[in-house]
């Protein structure tokens, strides 16, 4: 194992001890990854990687287990009903469309939204759209859009879409929502909770 393996994690100061199989040893260090992980004494690269894999990642993931009707030309709010994971209380059934930043977790986030639309014959306005928005209070607003994707149908197959919002800042109390739109009356469908489903994920990246 070369010293370069440590470059993303440490400042390069390493002792010359022999930790045995698995790599070089380290002087005491602290890695800051949404918290602290103290590394004391001689530890191998493999040991540190194993400890890093257990670091808590603050995140939430929700989906809707039923279909959502979409009116032509209207970006429709998705209200979620099923929680997959939620480390810090981002989601509440009292505000089912939202993933909200809790107290003490202001910082940088990224988000992913997903949807599948129903299959039908191609019409006059064969487009579908998805948007992730911040603090829009249930009404899609261009100024609040963090990320959007729009595609046009090439055939009558049921289209799947995914939108990714790159890192953005959120303060405590801010929230994101997912909107789905179509050029014609349509349905945002639930097929399979793994991928053919309307879902929204939020991941905390750090302060």
């Amino acid at each position: 194992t070369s010293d370069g393996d440590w470059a993303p994690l440490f400042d390069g100061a390493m002792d010359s001890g022999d930790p045995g199989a698995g790599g070089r040893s380290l002087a005491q260090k602290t890695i800051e990854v949404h918290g602290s992980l103290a590394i004391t004494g001689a530890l191998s690269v493999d040991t540190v990687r194993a400890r890093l894999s257990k670091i808590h990642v603050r995140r939430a993931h929700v989906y809707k287990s039923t279909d959502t009707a979409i009116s032509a030309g209207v970006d429709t709010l998705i209200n979620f009903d099923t929680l997959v994971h939620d480390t810090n209380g981002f989601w509440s059934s009292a505000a089912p469309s939202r993933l909200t930043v809790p107290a003490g977790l202001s910082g940088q986030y990224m988000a992913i939204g997903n949807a599948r639309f129903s299959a039908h014959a191609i019409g006059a306005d064969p487009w579908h759209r998805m948007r992730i928005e911040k603090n829009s209070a249930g009404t899609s607003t261009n100024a609040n859009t963090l990320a959007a994707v729009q595609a046009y149908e090439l055939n009558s197959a049921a289209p799947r879409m995914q939108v990714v919002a790159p890192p953005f800042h959120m303060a405590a109390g801010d929230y994101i929502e997912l909107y789905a739109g179509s050029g014609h009356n349509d349905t945002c469908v639930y097929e399979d909770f793994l991928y053919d489903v309307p879902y929204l994920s939020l991941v905390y990246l750090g302060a």
Side-chain angles (χ1 to χ4, degrees):
T1 303
S2 68
D3 291 359
D5 289 337
W6 299 105
L9 304 178
F10 302 100
D11 59 12
M14 299 174 60
D15 67 25
S16 58
D18 180 11
R24 298 282 301 280
S25 64
L26 302 174
Q28 181 171 333
K29 298 289 180 182
T30 298
I31 304 173
E32 190 74 20
V33 185
H34 315 320
S36 295
L37 174 67
I39 298 178
T40 304
L43 295 176
S44 70
V45 173
D46 291 339
T47 299
V48 174
R49 285 174 177 162
R51 294 191 182 187
L52 286 174
S53 69
K54 298 178 181 179
I55 290 176
H56 178 66
V57 177
R58 296 171 175 89
R59 66 205 186 278
H61 181 76
V62 291
Y63 70 87
K64 185 169 185 182
S65 63
T66 59
D67 295 351
T68 299
I70 299 172
S71 298
V74 177
D75 289 309
T76 301
L77 179 68
I78 305 298
N79 286 298
F80 303 99
D81 59 17
T82 306
L83 182 66
V84 179
H85 54 248
D86 186 353
T87 61
N88 293 80
F90 291 96
W91 185 74
S92 168
S93 59
S97 68
R98 302 179 179 183
L99 292 178
T100 303
V101 174
L105 281 183
S106 296
Q108 297 294 311
Y109 286 81
M110 70 175 295
I112 303 172
N114 184 82
R116 180 177 180 178
F117 296 86
S118 58
H120 52 76
I122 297 177
D125 294 297
W127 57 265
H128 297 91
R129 179 166 60 220
M130 290 180 60
R131 305 158 72 112
I132 295 175
E133 300 191 15
K134 174 181 171 182
N135 300 344
S136 283
T139 302
S140 181
T141 307
N142 285 335
N144 296 339
T145 300
L146 297 170
V149 59
Q150 181 168 312
Y152 287 81
E153 299 171 1
L154 298 177
N155 54 52
S156 60
R160 300 181 182 94
M161 300 182 72
Q162 189 171 84
V163 57
V164 178
F168 55 93
H169 184 269
M170 296 182 77
D174 288 343
Y175 58 88
I176 60 170
E177 296 172 318
L178 182 67
Y179 294 81
S182 178
H184 44 76
N185 292 333
D186 207 333
T187 304
C188 190
V189 299
Y190 169 82
E191 292 277 343
D192 183 307
F193 80 94
L194 292 177
Y195 63 96
D196 278 342
V197 58
Y199 72 64
L200 184 62
S201 295
L202 183 66
V203 180
Y204 176 70
L205 302 177

